[in-house]
Amino acid sequence: FYTILALWVGGTLLVSLVKVHADADGLENVKPRHLFFGRYLTFFVLGQIQAAIVAIGDIHLLHSQVLEPGLFYLVAVLASFTFTLLIYSLAISFGDLGKALAVVVMVLQIAGSSGTFPIELLPQFFQNVYLYFPFPYAINAMREAISGMYEMDYFIYMGKLLIFAAASLLLGLVIRKPFIPLNHFFEEKMKETKMM
């Protein structure tokens, strides 16, 4: 749970520290998708460095008993990719509101992702919504790598994480298009206030 949480918090901090919008100044024939993937590459690389540090640290520094270390590392890699892509897509699509939404989603996942308590012991609200967040699938895939594989569960959880990555791409490349003028308007108004 805390390894997965660390990967999410790292992605959230990245969008706070690194500018999410790429400048097209001096570039010719640049499409929005080029800017999206070009800037995301920075988030991807930094997220993968963090995943390596966390996973290797769990195994070699904390001496966690991991039955399948390679698969454990692979979960960290895929979770980091999914989380950074989702958080980046929220931030680039909705600006500061998207960053705040990433924090709200994190808080909801901390409380109700079945990472600390079995989902059956949590309030009904969390039992209804926890399936719509990526944490449970990453945590369950990591449990499979730590404790041993049961049939195809590991691959099912990893596949469900990839569904969140695909939804993030849809959000970042398609759904955000109508919000681009609105985001520019809010950014200009924020600059006019000279507070940001």
Side-chain angles (χ1 to χ4, degrees):
F1 171 74
Y2 289 107
T3 301
I4 296 300
L5 179 61
L7 295 173
W8 186 278
V9 170
T12 305
L13 289 175
L14 278 176
V15 296
S16 297
L17 299 173
V18 180
K19 184 178 170 188
V20 292
H21 293 286
D23 294 326
D25 299 339
L27 301 174
E28 297 178 12
N29 300 325
V30 177
K31 295 181 173 42
R33 70 176 181 269
H34 299 150
L35 296 174
F36 177 88
F37 286 115
R39 177 59 74 182
Y40 174 67
L41 187 59
T42 302
F43 291 90
F44 174 76
V45 169
L46 292 173
Q48 293 308 306
I49 291 169
Q50 181 192 8
I53 291 169
V54 171
I56 292 169
D58 282 348
I59 295 170
H60 297 291
L61 293 178
L62 298 178
H63 302 290
S64 301
Q65 292 181 339
V66 178
L67 198 61
E68 301 284 348
L71 297 179
F72 181 83
Y73 180 73
L74 188 60
V75 174
V77 164
L78 184 61
S80 177
F81 165 67
T82 303
F83 296 167
T84 55
L85 184 59
L86 177 58
I87 295 166
Y88 171 74
S89 295
L90 286 170
I92 200 168
S93 299
F94 305 114
D96 289 334
L97 180 64
K99 294 175 187 179
L101 188 58
V103 172
V104 169
V105 168
M106 178 183 66
V107 170
L108 286 173
Q109 291 183 113
I110 289 171
S113 65
S114 75
T116 52
F117 293 102
I119 195 64
E120 295 80 14
L121 298 178
L122 297 175
Q124 191 62 43
F125 170 77
F126 293 114
Q127 292 182 33
N128 294 337
V129 300
Y130 89 106
L131 293 173
Y132 302 106
F133 295 120
F135 262 40
Y137 306 109
I139 290 169
N140 287 336
M142 205 162 262
R143 282 182 183 145
E144 293 285 317
I146 291 169
S147 305
M149 309 272 279
Y150 179 75
E151 295 183 352
M152 297 297 286
D153 285 355
Y154 175 85
F155 300 103
I156 291 169
Y157 296 134
M158 295 290 271
K160 289 181 179 179
L161 266 180
L162 285 173
I163 292 171
F164 283 95
S168 301
L169 282 175
L170 184 67
L171 171 66
L173 295 173
V174 178
I175 296 174
R176 84 176 175 118
K177 286 184 180 178
F179 296 102
I180 291 174
L182 185 63
N183 282 340
H184 288 305
F185 173 76
F186 282 121
E187 286 172 8
E188 292 300 320
K189 291 298 177 187
M190 290 298 284
K191 285 180 186 174
E192 288 175 13
T193 64
K194 297 182 181 177
M195 293 187 71
M196 299 194 98

